[in-house]
Amino acid sequence: QYETFIEQVASRLQQAQDAGRLAEGADMTLLARNLSSLCQGVLLDWAWLGDSFEEAIARLRSGLALQTIPLQTA
């Protein structure tokens, strides 16, 4: 179920935040939803655009960085 998946991702993100790997103050459930949407978008692009798997992975990594770099701690 989708909500269970989001809860599990949010829990993992919360663990990273608790360990000091992500900055405080972000809503982990919202971040989990954003990351899920990003993954779905990359999959759709890959299917529709016919990019190689490597190009899709590169797009996914770039998108993940845009979502998480502001939250990363030094």
Side-chain angles (χ1 to χ4, degrees), residues 55-73:
E55 290 171 315
I57 293 298
R59 186 178 297 116
L60 180 60
R61 285 185 175 145
S62 295
L64 290 171
L66 285 173
Q67 287 290 306
T68 60
I69 284 174
L71 298 173
Q72 293 177 8
T73 58

Side-chain angles (χ1 to χ4, degrees), residues 3-64:
E3 287 304 316
T4 301
F5 170 74
I6 293 298
E7 289 171 8
Q8 290 173 348
V9 173
S11 175
R12 296 292 299 262
L13 291 167
Q14 186 64 54
Q15 290 171 6
Q17 189 179 58
D18 293 345
R21 294 190 306 270
L22 291 176
E24 294 290 324
D27 180 332
M28 293 300 121
T29 300
L30 181 58
L31 180 56
R33 289 183 189 284
N34 286 358
L35 295 177
S36 175
S37 295
L38 172 67
C39 291
Q40 291 174 32
V42 168
L43 284 172
L44 286 173
D45 282 351
W46 179 52
W48 285 99
L49 299 177
D51 291 345
S52 70
F53 184 70
E54 291 76 18
E55 290 171 315
I57 293 298
R59 186 178 297 116
L60 180 60
R61 285 185 175 145
S62 295
L64 290 171

